Amino acid sequence: MRKSKTFSGGYRFINFEGQPKDTLEEVRVPLRVTIPLRQGFGAEGDCLVKAGEGVLAGQIIGHSEYGVSSPVHSSINGVVEEVKRVNYFKRDCLMVSIKGDGNPRYQKLPGAINNWESLAYEEIEKILYLSGVTALDREGIPTRMRSSIILPKEAKSLIVHGVGSEPYNISGELLLKGKNILNLIEGIKILRKIMPNARVFLALSSHSRKILEEIEKLTSAYDWLELYPLEPKYPQGYDEMLVATILKQKFPYGYSAANVGAVILNLQAVLLSYEAVVEGKPLIERTIALCGPAFKEPLHIKARIGTPLREAVEGRVKEGLSARFVLNGLLTGFELKDLNLPIDKTYSQIIGLVENRERKFLSFLNPGLKSDSYSNTFMAKLSPRIQKTCDTNKHGEERPCISCNYCEEVCPVGIIPHLLVKYVQCNILDETLMNLRVFNCIECGLCSYVCPSKIPLARQIREGQEKLTIQGCDRNQCILPYFDNLKGIEEYRGPKEL
Amino acid sequence: MKFLRQRLDNLRNLSQKNKLLAFLKPVINAADEIYFGTDKVTTLPHILDSMDIKRYMSLVIVALIPVALGAVYLWGLRVLAVIAVSYIFGGLVETIFAIARKKEIHEGFLVTGLLFPLILPPNVPLWMAALGVMFGVVFGKEVFGGTGRNIFNPAIVGRIFLSVAFPSAMTTSWLMPFNQGTGGFLKFSADAVSQATPLTAFRSERLIADFGNLFLGGSPGCIGETFRLGILIGGIFLIFAKISNWRLPLSALLSVVICAGIGNFFAPDKFAPALFQIFSGGLLLGAFFMLTDPVTGPFTRAGKWICGVLFGFLVVLIRGLSGYMEGVMFSLLLINVFSPLIDRLVLGVKYPKIKK
């Protein structure tokens, strides 16, 4: 077994209460879905259906000829009710609502066969593109149909990762249960066929020994695949950190891994690619972890794309508490305020937190039997097996910075958050701030998490970036001079939306 | 608890705008915040670390408890009176400034209030302690804008003010500590027998004090600097709790060992041997509890190493070659002055100008 690798900085969230169990429940096929025509990155698709038109599950309803995008499918059989613009994740997005008949059948993709090796790579690309799988993850899977900002032959490395560095993660054990572990390897082979120039890396958490051993056994004959056990320290799952730890390469912060020729996919994206090519299954459903203390029984669900959130969480939340639902990451994720909005391709975890406004008596003196902290001042640090509570209380008053340097110690990209924030607060927005690499920030939010003075560092750094950009000192001036041949830079749509 | 909650709510109502106690708002809020945690919730990130500044500061106090208990044993119950005076008058200044500024009372003062009496001689007059802590808090901290913005350690500023203003009281009369039975736990004050501190004894008679005495506090010195076992326990506790950083104390002590070693080799009558220098005077207290003050010290890693080394060098230099017996105090002040500059230099190297 190889030694586990990691990066400097970061923080490992250990054993928060409400980790999802390795069970999978299928949510019944919903009778009404709303499908956003832009899911995750990429351009919005043109709507191909009209109200009143009948659609089949697996039929393409949104597709854009221009811009980087992948097709969007109807996830149920039924009739289109209405097509309208809705504010979705702070952006305007076209939504198709479909009234269904509850029948789980779906249309298979044309050309998919069991014996995929007999397919030409053009055919595989086409199937993947038509299945919509190419839209998964931050930059998707490149095909010649412009599903990513680079072309497949430009991909120099393919990183498949299931590190799980967030406080709550979708379980790798569940995703790779049974035959799926073989499917994963087949899936990687399929992707390798369309990206012939790519070196393949499989990064997994160094703590899931069983899976590592199994994969090591299965792949020992493949010299093209490198297995990387990584310490599951936040934010290891970020593209920026994966490129830094695995490829030992500088990352163009604020741009994407695809710009340096790296395609980064999570386990589920690879598994779904396999299902698309071999089983002909379009991307109409995916596995989502429901986790966190607000759920009665945290577990995984398989839900159709477009299922209203309410249907997915209904009956699973503990009664009599005010819950806050967060998408994907507790440090950076969106708060899901409107439960009528649908589940889309980008959902991987839905975390239910309890709003805790209770004022605890002498809270600063409590022994902290279940409190998580970066410092070693709580009893819970004594053993990693102690389950930690997780709520939305701020645990302290906002105070001036005392330069305790926690933020610098955890910063994964080696900037000094508290110093940057002092500049931003004093409105000293000039070259100094650029030289201190303010644009290297990857907005992982770890500095805000560890700050004992409860200063929202990550947000203020972002404000500083925005103010600098207005003044004409932008990201490009800081990042681009260090890179010669970034690919697809003109197609890049700017930093990821928060 | 319910009773307390009601009382505080009453007071908080009274401190609303245009009410009777409006001017006391910072005080009432501070009391409220001490007794009850916050009811605010997070925005982004959705979860926050359980650590806060109150805990941060109170753990420094916890780390100082062995030293304070040792001090009471060595010098008598009078030590408690000095600590009380320091807290009362330091707190008064802090409160007045908070009221004048209409800001919250910050917790940083909790540490200053305990640290300051520990660096005074055991027979210091109480009025002098009060004057020192008030001067220190005003000119070491508040004039710069309060906790987080001060460039000097307030305790050190107060101590230096006293040594300059009342040199005879601060440098010449030392007591012999209790060392038998219940020690000072049942007595008010040690007998006023003038004694030489180990550093003075070395300077005048080349005497090297017994290390057991130095380690356990059986030698004259300031209130909190002689029980060195307690200082080590507290300091190492803070390092393990991640509240203070190991780089500064380690580099400072290594630097003292090396500089004193070199000095002692070439001029043994001027420079005391390395190990003796480590275990005498206020070096350990300064290195573990004052040099590591995050606000006034350097924040870059390299800066910490450089400042630690510089500190050790200055301590040995002042002890060996100046008219003062002890150099820790002045070295700390100099390090406080230089650390922003050193940080700036380090940042210049760490973050070179962006390519054009």
Side-chain angles (χ1 to χ4, degrees), chain A residues 277-331:
Chain A
V277 175
V278 174
E279 295 164 11
K281 195 171 169 187
L283 179 49
I284 56 168
E285 62 180 1
R286 64 167 294 155
T287 308
I288 298 164
L290 299 180
C291 30
F295 286 103
K296 272 187 219 158
E297 193 188 15
L299 43 60
H300 295 79
I301 56 167
K302 198 170 221 181
R304 292 277 166 119
I305 307 280
T307 310
L309 272 171
R310 191 178 302 283
E311 269 178 55
V313 302
E314 208 162 49
R316 299 176 200 273
V317 183
K318 286 182 192 156
E319 273 114 43
L321 47 80
S322 68
R324 179 194 294 193
F325 296 103
V326 180
L327 174 62
N328 291 351
L330 275 184
L331 272 73

Side-chain angles (χ1 to χ4, degrees), chain A residues 213-380:
Chain A
E213 272 164 32
E214 219 170 314
I215 290 201
E216 178 107 78
K217 230 186 290 164
L218 288 168
T219 60
S220 53
Y222 306 140
D223 53 352
W224 45 266
L225 184 123
E226 282 179 58
L227 185 61
Y228 268 81
L230 298 180
E231 169 84 17
K233 199 164 67 167
Y234 184 82
Q236 180 68 74
Y238 273 48
D239 291 6
E240 285 88 348
M241 299 335 291
L242 287 167
V243 167
T245 31
I246 294 179
L247 303 180
K248 307 259 177 287
Q249 196 176 344
K250 264 193 178 168
F251 194 94
Y253 295 113
Y255 295 88
S256 106
N259 295 129
V260 289
V263 175
I264 300 181
L265 298 172
N266 61 33
L267 296 178
Q268 198 164 186
V270 179
L271 290 169
L272 289 169
S273 308
Y274 170 85
E275 284 175 14
V277 175
V278 174
E279 295 164 11
K281 195 171 169 187
L283 179 49
I284 56 168
E285 62 180 1
R286 64 167 294 155
T287 308
I288 298 164
L290 299 180
C291 30
F295 286 103
K296 272 187 219 158
E297 193 188 15
L299 43 60
H300 295 79
I301 56 167
K302 198 170 221 181
R304 292 277 166 119
I305 307 280
T307 310
L309 272 171
R310 191 178 302 283
E311 269 178 55
V313 302
E314 208 162 49
R316 299 176 200 273
V317 183
K318 286 182 192 156
E319 273 114 43
L321 47 80
S322 68
R324 179 194 294 193
F325 296 103
V326 180
L327 174 62
N328 291 351
L330 275 184
L331 272 73
T332 54
F334 268 102
E335 182 180 346
L336 302 167
K337 283 189 181 138
D338 185 357
L339 290 185
N340 294 318
L341 288 177
I343 284 170
D344 74 18
K345 290 177 191 176
T346 61
Y347 281 47
S348 160
Q349 290 100 237
I350 298 172
I351 304 140
L353 287 179
V354 182
E355 294 279 7
N356 181 3
R357 289 179 181 276
E358 190 206 346
R359 302 192 62 185
K360 223 169 146 194
F361 185 62
L362 289 179
S363 67
F364 73 106
L365 290 178
N366 74 335
L369 295 172
K370 298 174 96 184
S371 308
D372 182 68
S373 171
Y374 170 72
S375 65
N376 295 330
T377 59
F378 290 89
M379 302 291 276

Side-chain angles (χ1 to χ4, degrees), chain B residues 137-214:
Chain B
V137 173
V138 173
F139 289 97
K141 190 166 78 176
E142 298 299 345
V143 289
F144 297 104
T147 306
R149 292 162 187 258
N150 49 322
I151 46 175
F152 297 117
N153 191 326
I156 286 296
V157 173
R159 174 71 215 277
I160 286 185
F161 166 72
L162 289 185
S163 349
V164 174
F166 312 101
S168 61
M170 300 306 285
T171 50
T172 50
S173 62
W174 302 96
L175 304 182
M176 198 59 204
F178 292 112
N179 52 11
Q180 276 162 351
T182 54
F185 286 132
L186 297 174
K187 298 207 180 79
F188 184 66
S189 174
D191 300 328
V193 183
S194 253
Q195 280 286 332
T197 65
L199 281 171
T200 325
F202 174 80
R203 176 72 62 89
S204 52
E205 299 160 47
R206 304 280 164 273
L207 269 178
I208 303 283
D210 172 45
F211 277 97
N213 268 349
L214 286 175

Side-chain angles (χ1 to χ4, degrees), chain B residues 45-65:
Chain B
H46 296 282
I47 49 170
L48 286 181
D49 200 295
S50 306
M51 183 78 168
D52 69 345
I53 290 293
K54 284 193 185 64
R55 195 178 180 88
Y56 195 96
M57 295 302 177
S58 39
L59 275 155
V60 180
I61 293 175
V62 169
L64 281 171
I65 285 176

Side-chain angles (χ1 to χ4, degrees), chain A residues 324 330 333 359-360 362 364 366 372-374 376-377 392-394 399 405-406 414 434-435 437 449 454, chain B residues 32-33 35 37-40 42 46-51 55 107 240-242 294 299 351-352 354:
Chain A
R324 179 194 294 193
L330 275 184
R359 302 192 62 185
K360 223 169 146 194
L362 289 179
F364 73 106
N366 74 335
D372 182 68
S373 171
Y374 170 72
N376 295 330
T377 59
T392 62
N393 195 284
K394 275 183 115 169
R399 286 284 183 260
N405 237 16
Y406 285 1
M434 280 167 70
N435 285 336
R437 305 298 189 268
Y449 177 78
K454 313 292 167 194
Chain B
D32 187 44
E33 285 168 4
Y35 283 116
T38 183
D39 60 348
K40 293 197 187 80
T42 55
H46 296 282
I47 49 170
L48 286 181
D49 200 295
S50 306
M51 183 78 168
R55 195 178 180 88
E107 290 79 5
F240 272 103
K242 279 198 198 166
F299 57 82
Y351 299 106
I354 277 171

